[in-house]
Each structure stands twice: as C-alpha cells, then as structure tokens.
Amino acid sequence: CYPLYDVEGKQWGGISVIKDITDRKRVEEALRGIAQGAPAAGSVSFFRSLVKDLAKALDVTYAFLAEFHDAGKSQAHTVAVWANGEFSENFTWNMADTPGNDILNNRLPSWGSDIQDHYPNDILLKNWGVHSYMGSPLFNSVGHIIGIMVTMDHRPLRKLQLAESILGVFVVRAASELERKRAEEALRDNEERYRAIAENAYDLIFETQPDGAFLYLSPSCQAVLGYQLDELSNHNFFELIHPDERIGLMTEFERKIRELENWQMLCRFRHHSGEWRWFESHMKPFRTTLGNLVAVVVSRDITEQRRLEEERLRATKLESIG
C-alpha cells in the first residue's frame, strides 16, 4: 500500500497492490506437511497423507503412489490413491500402452492437456476422464526404479514447470519411505522364515552370551533333551555339558566368542533322564547392533551314530583277532 500526496504534502489518497497467493499458500502447506513427516512414516496412513497433500498442492483431482513387485515391471500396484476428494481403493495398473512406460524408460511424462490423444488405449485415462498428466519414477538408494508417483486431472495443468518441481519434492520423500517400507517387509519376512526354520528344526538351536547364559532356545530342545523350555532357560549352557569336557570348553568357548571366530565342538549333553548323549555343535559368534557379543550354537545328536561307529570298530577288531 502506497500513500499519494499533493504538492503541498497533504495525503489525498493511496494505491494498493493485491496479489492472490492462494496457490502459493496451498503449496507451502503441502510442503510443510511432508517436511514435518508423519508419526507412522512408512505406513499406509503416511502414503495416503502424501498423495492427498500432493493433490492439494497441485490442485488436481487424482494422485497415486504405486510400487512394482515383479522384475519386469509389467504391473504397478498402488499403495495409496486420492481421487475426487477422497481416498480410493488400491488397484493394479497394467503398464502396457500407458504413460507408465515412458516413466520406466527414464522419460518424465508431463502433459498439460490432451493426454488421451497420446495414449488412446489407456483404460484408466478414459474411465477417469483425464486430460492432464504428470508422473515420475521412484528410485531406491542404488538407483533402481521401485515405483511411480502420478497426478492427473480433468482440466489442463497450470504452471507446468512449477508443478514438476513440486512433484519432485514429493517423489524424493515417497521414494525414501517406500524403500524403507520394503526393507521392513523384507526383514519381517526373513524373521518369519528363520523363526519357522528354528522352530521346526530337529537340531538344537541356542543363542547364548559369552558366559553361557541362554538368550534363545528352539522348541527342539524339549523334544531332544527332555527339558521344558522354561526349566532349561534357568540353566546355563555349560551346565548341560559333561564335567570331563566342561572346563576346557568353557575357556575356548568364551575366547572364540570374544574373537568372533566360528568353532566346532564335540561334547556330551545331559538329558533330562540323566543320560549323557553326544552332540556335534557348530558355533557362530557375532556382535549385535547394541554392541553385545552373542553366539548361535546349532547342535546335532550323534549318539546313535557314535554307537554304530563303535560297534563297527569293535567288529573290525574281532575280525582282525579272528
């Protein structure tokens, strides 16, 4: 606002310049939202808020985030979809004859209008009545495409260059969170896989500290040694070992763990019945993310194998004597 004065210095009026900053405020709010993150980053709710904020920032009707599950990237599976002012059900999008192919070929398709003229066979564009389109690939930390982010609208897209810059900001955040989501899913899958292996293996699987305190006992410990797991967890690993072998093994066991060396040992474990059974054990020590030294020990009962071997040697001796 600028005042206007006459020649005598008296104000007689003023000039005001007013600029509509609605678009700018909308973009600022959306960017502030992704900068501040979300309490459950990497979750479905986070990705939903991301596509909603993107649609709000660009003032478009549709925005969605999709990922690829197959190496050929023939289909994109949406993670979050914003359509017509609300969240929509996820869907699978065939990439053939769609703008998605340009995204996969490292081209960044942006059409301010008339996109259906370029892709007349794209069913999604027809069903949604789309005229403007903008999309970008999502790269992981090693440069592989793991998904795409797309915005579409019934109207021509305004300020295309600014819209591309805004999309670029959202894409960076979406890619990092999608990569983290997939890493967490892979970790959970691995945990389930190894848990299934440990809980269904006949071999004994222990996780211990250097002093022999148990951190984990596989269910097979009960079937093979006859102890209840809660009963066995109150004991020390070395308490199971025969006294004739215990002292030497304790010293070497702790040394191998502290030096992070794999080790193979042969010793007798006490069965709940009081019987001593021979076990062949393989130890793999490692340091946890918290810096603690632990070891995983896998032990196999070879009592019958040793008995058969002793009988064979005895028979060989008798045969030699004969």
Side-chain angles (χ1 to χ4, degrees):
C1 184
Y2 305 94
L4 300 177
Y5 300 93
D6 60 18
V7 292
E8 296 178 355
K10 293 181 61 176
Q11 182 181 354
W12 62 271
I15 296 177
S16 293
V17 179
I18 301 175
K19 182 179 181 181
D20 187 347
I21 61 168
T22 305
D23 289 344
R24 191 183 78 188
K25 295 296 289 184
R26 185 177 63 249
V27 171
E28 287 176 354
E29 290 175 4
L31 294 179
R32 188 181 303 114
I34 68 167
Q36 293 174 347
S43 65
V44 173
S45 60
F46 173 79
F47 292 118
R48 281 189 159 196
S49 66
L50 204 61
V51 296
K52 179 182 177 181
D53 288 343
L54 176 60
K56 180 181 178 182
L58 299 181
D59 191 23
V60 296
T61 308
Y62 304 105
F64 66 82
L65 170 66
E67 63 178 334
F68 298 110
H69 293 163
D70 60 314
K73 300 179 178 62
S74 59
Q75 292 183 329
H77 305 270
T78 60
V79 178
V81 181
W82 179 260
N84 294 310
E86 62 182 9
F87 295 111
S88 182
E89 294 293 328
N90 286 318
F91 58 88
T92 298
W93 189 29
N94 292 318
M95 302 299 289
D97 298 324
T98 72
N101 279 332
D102 285 334
I103 295 177
L104 296 180
N105 292 326
N106 293 323
R107 294 193 294 270
L108 305 182
S110 299
W111 282 272
S113 60
D114 301 325
I115 187 175
Q116 291 191 45
D117 295 341
H118 299 274
Y119 294 93
N121 298 323
D122 191 327
I123 303 300
L124 185 63
L125 299 180
K126 289 182 179 180
N127 293 341
W128 283 3
V130 172
H131 289 285
S132 59
Y133 177 101
M134 185 169 59
S136 177
L138 305 180
F139 292 95
N140 63 11
S141 55
V142 294
H144 297 153
I145 296 177
I146 58 175
I148 57 174
M149 201 166 194
V150 173
T151 65
M152 300 182 290
D153 200 68
H154 306 296
R155 304 159 297 173
L157 192 63
R158 299 179 295 117
K159 301 178 182 179
L160 189 60
Q161 187 173 3
L162 175 61
E164 289 176 349
S165 299
I166 294 171
L167 176 62
V169 175
F170 279 83
V171 161
V172 171
R173 184 64 190 275
S176 64
E177 295 300 336
L178 183 59
E179 182 176 19
R180 184 168 73 170
K181 166 182 170 288
R182 299 177 76 165
E184 291 174 349
E185 289 174 348
L187 180 60
R188 283 195 297 270
D189 289 344
N190 283 336
E191 288 176 349
E192 290 298 324
R193 184 179 301 113
Y194 290 123
R195 182 178 295 111
I197 292 173
E199 292 182 352
N200 292 279
Y202 180 75
D203 292 347
L204 309 182
I205 302 176
F206 310 111
E207 184 180 356
T208 76
Q209 295 176 340
D211 61 0
F214 287 119
L215 298 174
Y216 171 78
L217 294 162
S218 65
S220 57
C221 295
Q222 180 175 338
V224 176
L225 292 178
Y227 297 93
Q228 297 293 328
L229 291 184
D230 56 351
E231 176 189 3
L232 194 58
S233 62
N234 295 324
H235 290 275
N236 187 286
F237 174 65
F238 301 120
E239 293 178 14
L240 294 176
I241 299 176
H242 195 282
D244 292 347
E245 297 130 22
R246 184 180 303 160
I247 301 301
L249 287 178
M250 286 178 62
T251 304
E252 190 67 7
F253 187 89
E254 293 188 35
R255 187 183 72 81
K256 291 290 185 181
I257 291 182
R258 300 195 184 285
E259 295 179 2
L260 295 176
E261 292 184 17
N262 296 347
W263 188 39
Q264 181 174 336
M265 54 185 175
L266 186 66
C267 61
R268 285 168 287 180
F269 289 169
R270 186 181 67 247
H271 191 273
H272 188 265
S273 64
E275 176 189 4
W276 292 99
R277 301 187 65 84
W278 284 97
F279 281 83
E280 182 181 65
S281 302
H282 299 267
M283 183 186 74
K284 170 67 178 178
F286 64 95
R287 191 181 297 276
T288 67
T289 55
L290 298 177
N292 299 323
L293 286 172
V294 298
V296 172
V297 181
V298 180
S299 300
R300 174 167 296 181
D301 189 342
I302 60 169
T303 305
E304 293 303 315
Q305 179 182 334
R306 284 181 64 89
R307 183 180 62 80
L308 292 174
E309 182 68 18
E310 289 172 358
E311 289 181 357
R312 187 186 66 81
L313 290 174
R314 190 180 302 112
T316 302
K317 290 179 179 178
L318 290 174
E319 184 178 345
S320 300
I321 292 173

